[in-house]
Amino acid sequence: MMTRNIELTREAKAWLKRKNGPDEIVRVVPDMENNNVMSYNLYTAFDEKPDYLGRILFDAQGYWIYDGETLTIAEQEQVAKFIINYVETI
């Protein structure tokens, strides 16, 4: 999926609508690896010891890939769209 510039540079929380199971809020934590790849680690949002849900990586062209085993394809797409469409509020 081709995207515009990604603006998410600080930790944020995304609503994850699940088909099979309760909906959940996911903590999205930026982890800038280098100039060509943007990476976002995903965790459960409100647990004292949060579960790691994997990560989403974006290349310089805006294509993304999920690195993990927890999220379904539909859930991966929801998180990727959240990151792509994120606009910082003032």
Side-chain angles (χ1 to χ4, degrees), residues 45-81:
F46 299 110
D47 296 334
E48 188 173 315
K49 293 183 179 179
D51 292 335
Y52 178 70
L53 304 174
R55 65 185 179 153
I56 292 185
L57 298 94
F58 291 84
D59 66 14
Q61 288 76 42
Y63 293 98
W64 62 270
I65 187 167
Y66 172 69
D67 179 18
E69 300 176 1
T70 306
L71 302 181
T72 66
I73 292 172
E75 294 165 350
Q76 296 167 32
E77 290 175 346
Q78 287 177 55
V79 175
K81 286 178 185 176

Side-chain angles (χ1 to χ4, degrees), residues 8-44:
L8 181 58
T9 57
R10 295 190 292 183
E11 182 177 317
K13 292 182 176 60
W15 183 260
L16 192 62
K17 183 126 178 83
R18 292 216 156 115
K19 189 172 185 176
N20 300 317
D23 295 344
E24 184 172 12
I25 296 176
V26 174
R27 201 171 91 208
V28 180
V29 181
D31 178 23
M32 307 310 173
E33 291 184 344
N34 61 48
N35 293 337
N36 296 325
V37 177
M38 295 177 72
S39 175
Y40 295 88
N41 293 310
L42 309 173
Y43 302 93
T44 53

